[in-house]
């Protein structure tokens, strides 16, 4: 049986965790059996201390700029978007990009440590004051107010939700916070290729950060556990749910999005097994 977050924390230290504990936490916590950790709440135990710092090495900002180009900006501008809610701010890469392009941007994330890093990155990269909000997607309306022209959830973030109920709840919250003609842009790793081509054909994904590798260490229909190795040999893990592309498209349609275009690595035409990432552009109208 999967261990609860409290069980994990309890196995590490006496007493149950509180918010301050999460903010201070340096080490990732996966407990005795990491393959049993399949919980939507667990991300706050993964994006901590050392890994948050490393994340920016993992995704070298300059190279990421170059590889993404203006794809997201073009999508937003083509729809006349002015206000954007970045629900998976992480260390702030897209929020900063949006502010540079003049979008009114609110930056939300459920990890306090990620938000702290994003805020300082905003100042470092262009002197931007990020409007950060600590919010979990499943209760987004409680902590973030207003309606937005667009919501972005990028960097393979949605994969952290482990139950369909949580996925539907989060998508419903996104839908509710969009204006009547709003757009949701959500991306995901190409898990179909990983699941269908078998574990033996697993390949190492090299991120823009030099010599930083991301490798699927274990995969089944309910878990993709990735290992991230950095040049200084430090190793971190993420436990993720392997979203299939068409399942994801169906969920968005069922929640109410009317039109969903899916791109492979920023291209409109692609062969299903080729792209590393899919990007869904879902319109409410
Ligand atoms: N978008 C950033 C990027 O591309 O660099 C960050 C991506 S990082 C892989 C995923 C982010 O999603 C983390 O910052 C994590 O805290 C956040 N996250 C995961 N599950 C969440 C949830 N249920 N509610 C809010 N944030 C969540």
């Amino acid at each position: 049986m999967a261990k609860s977050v409290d069980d994990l924390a309890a196995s590490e230290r006496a007493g149950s965790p509180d918010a301050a504990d999460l903010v201070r936490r340096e080490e990732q916590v996966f407990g005795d059996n990491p393959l049993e950790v399949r919980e939507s709440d667990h991300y706050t135990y993964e994006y901590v201390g050392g890994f948050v710092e490393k994340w920016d090495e993992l995704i070298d900002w300059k190279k990421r700029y170059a590889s993404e180009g203006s794809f997201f900006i073009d999508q937003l501008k083509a729809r006349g978007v002015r206000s954007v809610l970045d629900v998976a701010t992480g260390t702030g890469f897209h929020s900063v990009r949006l502010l540079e392009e003049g979008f009114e941007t609110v930056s939300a994330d459920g990890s306090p440590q990620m938000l702290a890093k994003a805020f300082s990155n905003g100042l470092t990269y262009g002197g931007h004051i990020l409007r950060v909000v600590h919010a979990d997607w499943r209760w987004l309306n409680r902590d973030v107010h207003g309606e937005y022209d667009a919501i972005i959830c990028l960097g393979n973030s949605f994969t952290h939700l482990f139950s369909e109920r949580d996925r539907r709840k989060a998508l419903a919250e996104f839908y509710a916070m969009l204006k009547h003609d709003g757009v949701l842009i959500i991306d995901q790793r190409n898990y179909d290729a990983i699941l269908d081509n078998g574990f033996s054909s697993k390949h190492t994904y090299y991120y823009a950060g030099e010599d930083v590798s991301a490798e699927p260490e274990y995969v089944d229909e309910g878990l993709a556990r990735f290992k991230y190795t950095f040049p200084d040999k430090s190793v971190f893990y993420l436990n993720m749910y392997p979203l299939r592309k068409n399942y994801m498209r169906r969920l968005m349609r069922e929640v109410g999005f009317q039109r969903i275009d899916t791109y492979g690595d920023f291209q409109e035409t692609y062969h299903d097994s080729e792209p590393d990432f899919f990007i869904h552009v879902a319109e409410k109208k």
Side-chain angles (χ1 to χ4, degrees):
M1 212 185 77
K3 289 193 172 171
S4 76
V5 169
D6 279 347
D7 287 341
L8 291 170
S11 70
E12 207 197 32
R13 59 187 274 283
S16 56
D18 55 21
D21 179 45
L22 279 177
V23 171
R24 283 192 304 269
R25 191 175 281 279
E26 281 298 313
E27 303 287 326
Q28 290 188 315
V29 183
F30 282 99
D32 296 337
N33 192 348
L35 300 187
E36 288 182 1
V37 178
R38 300 171 184 221
E39 288 189 9
S40 301
D41 288 325
H42 194 262
Y43 71 97
T44 50
Y45 288 83
E46 298 176 27
Y47 292 104
V48 292
F51 190 46
V52 170
E53 287 305 317
K54 290 282 174 195
W55 191 254
D56 276 349
E57 288 177 39
L58 178 69
I59 44 169
D60 181 304
W61 280 35
K62 281 205 191 93
K63 290 181 185 158
R64 196 171 181 190
Y65 248 80
S67 72
E68 283 191 8
S70 58
F71 180 87
F72 298 115
I73 302 301
D74 293 346
Q75 290 288 336
L76 298 174
K77 287 191 173 164
R79 291 171 174 80
V81 166
R82 291 169 57 86
S83 58
V84 185
L85 174 61
D86 181 357
V87 289
T89 298
T91 59
F93 176 80
H94 289 106
S95 286
V96 169
R97 182 95 165 88
L98 292 169
L99 287 167
E100 274 174 1
E101 294 285 340
F103 293 99
E104 293 160 29
T105 308
V106 173
S107 309
D109 199 288
S111 159
Q113 298 207 17
M114 283 298 222
L115 284 179
K117 183 71 182 168
F119 191 81
S120 88
N121 275 340
L123 291 173
T124 305
Y125 297 103
H128 302 287
I129 309 273
L130 262 61
R131 292 167 62 196
V132 295
V133 187
H134 182 219
D136 188 288
W137 306 325
R138 292 163 290 172
W139 299 278
L140 198 61
N141 285 274
R142 188 186 61 192
D143 299 313
V144 184
H145 303 121
E147 282 190 327
Y148 296 82
D149 297 320
I151 292 181
I152 60 169
C153 182
L154 301 177
N156 196 35
S157 297
F158 202 74
T159 185
H160 285 290
L161 296 174
F162 272 91
S163 75
E164 178 159 321
R165 186 179 162 78
D166 286 338
R167 280 174 223 124
R168 286 185 185 278
K169 175 90 173 96
L171 286 175
E173 294 277 314
F174 297 165
Y175 189 90
M177 297 205 67
L178 284 170
K179 289 185 188 156
H180 76 282
D181 56 352
V183 64
L184 169 68
I185 306 183
I186 199 162
D187 71 3
Q188 62 164 103
R189 199 178 268 293
N190 181 357
Y191 289 114
D192 293 81
I194 297 171
L195 288 166
D196 297 339
N197 300 342
F199 199 49
S200 59
S201 70
K202 72 177 182 184
H203 74 274
T204 301
Y205 299 87
Y206 285 95
Y207 276 78
E210 259 163 41
D211 300 329
V212 179
S213 69
E215 209 180 347
E217 194 194 59
Y218 173 88
V219 184
D220 66 28
E221 287 285 341
L223 176 71
R225 179 169 164 84
F226 269 65
K227 176 180 175 182
Y228 299 85
T229 311
F230 292 85
D232 64 3
K233 306 283 180 246
S234 57
V235 172
F236 295 87
Y237 295 89
L238 288 179
N239 277 18
M240 300 172 284
Y241 178 83
L243 291 163
R244 286 194 174 271
K245 181 189 72 177
N246 287 336
Y247 165 75
M248 189 62 204
R249 285 172 54 87
R250 176 167 63 77
L251 275 189
M252 288 189 285
R253 242 190 331 269
E254 287 176 4
V255 166
F257 289 98
Q258 296 296 302
R259 182 195 164 111
I260 298 148
D261 290 324
T262 299
Y263 298 81
D265 288 342
F266 312 115
Q267 306 296 321
E268 217 157 339
T269 50
Y270 53 85
H271 187 282
D272 261 358
S273 66
E274 284 165 6
D276 276 348
F277 270 79
F278 292 120
I279 300 136
H280 308 289
V281 180
E283 293 179 346
K284 189 165 174 176
K285 189 173 67 169

